[in-house]
Amino acid sequence: MSTTSLSAYTKILLKAKLIRGVYLFDDFKRRVSGKGDPSPLQPSETITIPSTKPTSKGNRNITIKIYKTKAALDPNVGPVAVHLNWHGSGFVLPMYGTDIGFIEHLLNHPLLASYPLAILDCDYAKAPEYPCPAAPDDARDAVNYVFRNPRLYDLNKVTVGGFSAGANLAMGLSVDLGNQAHKGMSPYGDGKSHPIHAVIAFYPVAKWVSERVDVPVPPGPQTWPGIPLPKEVTDIFDDSYWFSPVLNDPPTAEEDRARVKAWMQMPLYSPACADSRDFPRYIELVTCEYDHLSIEGEKLREALSKDKTKQVYGRRIDGVGHSWDLVTAPGQTGYKERCEMYDIAARIIARVGGIEVEI
């Protein structure tokens, strides 16, 4: 059977909807129990921008929630620094808004409270309804929105970042834009300077691999913070994201495997495949001990650390799993490290803005 047929798509769509249902039910239980109460923080503004890459399902819009520091709310402040954030999702789950704790930490950070900064929390298309490259296309549209509005945003103070799938989008786009700049073909500014000054990546998909390699975790019931990523779930994520954007194309399974393999090696989708020179100057890379994504993430850290033109921060957090920062709480394992890693992000954003601070 063709791996790009309507029946193949229907099969993976049903699996994706099943795990979405499980996620939403678990999220509901957390909220009912008081463990998932939403932050009272509200965006200063919510906008929608059109996706510039129509799909077979027609046109769609991208939601962006804009949060501002007190200094950025001053009507006379002029263009403000901007940080674009993309959430985790496995490229499948409806997790937009889950990074509110990180955003709140930045807005309240002593270094940034009086700094004119806008944080753009950006949604993106989810697979399998909108497979790759829809999500990277949406991320690019969000960055294009910023650079089309120099009266609102200081284009010399643009940083990007994200979590899990969102970190992959942030890193992939930053190296793609960096590569364009090194070729003198950047669509922004003078065409030669890297338009992104920092990338902040929490437990990213640094490189897509054909065969997953697991990391050892403590035996017995889970007592550590983090979200387990069993292979049967990540296989659904992978199959959804890499499903062909056009039904019945390629026509054979062999051709489709070759397409996916080629795409997985592209730096836009696997930022670890990029030349280190294409990364922004400042990089925060955070991985988790009990997360299989840490294997390629730590390889990337090692490679970037050899480039003396880059400043690489962050580390592997021991004793935690994927997305640990979303579930830990004060006094619990990993909370101190959560605050430390969020602080590094704030310091990097401040440094890009010209604030003299050690990171």
Side-chain angles (χ1 to χ4, degrees), residues 22-313:
V22 172
Y23 165 76
L24 291 171
F25 181 66
D26 287 344
D27 184 61
F28 172 75
K29 288 194 298 182
R30 285 195 298 271
R31 292 178 185 276
V32 169
S33 67
K35 296 179 180 179
D37 290 338
S39 166
L41 180 66
Q42 295 295 318
S44 303
E45 182 181 6
T46 299
I47 64 172
T48 58
I49 61 173
S51 170
T52 60
K53 296 292 182 68
T55 69
S56 58
K57 296 180 177 64
N59 298 328
R60 54 193 171 78
N61 291 321
I62 304 163
T63 300
I64 301 176
K65 294 180 180 180
I66 303 175
Y67 300 84
K68 295 181 179 180
T69 58
K70 291 181 180 179
L73 292 171
D74 184 341
N76 301 314
V77 73
V80 301
V82 58
H83 178 73
L84 296 97
N85 179 76
W86 290 277
H87 59 285
S89 69
F91 296 103
V92 171
L93 300 178
M95 294 181 64
Y96 183 44
T98 52
D99 296 334
I100 193 67
F102 173 74
I103 295 169
E104 196 165 27
H105 189 100
L106 295 184
L107 293 178
N108 294 329
H109 197 280
L111 286 172
L112 301 179
S114 60
Y115 176 59
L117 170 70
I119 302 172
L120 275 57
D121 194 25
C122 309
D123 202 2
Y124 55 89
K126 305 302 188 297
E129 294 90 338
Y130 300 100
C132 183
D137 287 344
D138 284 0
R140 193 182 301 273
D141 283 338
V143 171
N144 285 340
Y145 159 76
V146 167
F147 280 88
R148 286 198 308 267
N149 288 278
R151 290 186 295 178
L152 298 176
Y153 305 112
D154 187 335
L155 305 186
N156 293 312
K157 300 175 183 177
V158 179
T159 59
V160 300
F163 297 74
S164 192
N168 171 270
L169 296 177
M171 295 184 81
L173 184 57
S174 70
V175 298
D176 191 66
L177 294 174
N179 181 260
Q180 291 179 355
H182 280 106
K183 294 178 179 178
M185 300 171 59
S186 172
Y188 314 125
D190 62 5
K192 299 179 181 179
S193 301
H194 203 311
I196 307 299
H197 295 274
V199 60
I200 294 164
F202 279 73
Y203 34 87
V205 183
K207 182 180 180 180
W208 290 92
V209 294
S210 56
E211 293 295 332
R212 163 174 160 163
V213 178
D214 286 320
V215 295
V217 299
Q222 180 179 338
T223 58
W224 40 270
I227 300 174
L229 294 175
K231 187 176 185 300
E232 56 267 26
V233 172
T234 59
D235 282 351
I236 296 174
F237 291 162
D238 297 355
D239 291 345
S240 296
Y241 188 61
W242 293 112
F243 197 88
S244 174
V246 180
L247 287 176
N248 301 309
D249 183 25
T252 70
E254 183 179 0
E255 289 174 299
D256 192 44
R257 284 193 294 269
R259 173 192 67 84
V260 172
K261 182 178 180 180
W263 285 22
M264 284 182 172
Q265 296 172 354
M266 297 173 63
L268 177 61
Y269 309 133
S270 286
C273 293
D275 191 305
S276 63
R277 71 173 189 174
D278 294 335
F279 281 81
R281 178 181 179 185
Y282 298 104
I283 303 155
E284 181 180 13
L285 178 56
V286 180
T287 65
C288 312
E289 181 181 9
Y290 304 144
D291 180 2
H292 71 280
L293 296 178
S294 66
I295 296 175
E296 294 298 332
E298 288 305 311
K299 289 180 182 178
L300 175 59
R301 184 194 313 282
E302 182 180 0
L304 291 173
S305 298
K306 295 177 181 178
D307 188 334
K308 301 307 178 183
T309 67
K310 309 301 177 186
Q311 297 187 33
V312 185
Y313 302 96

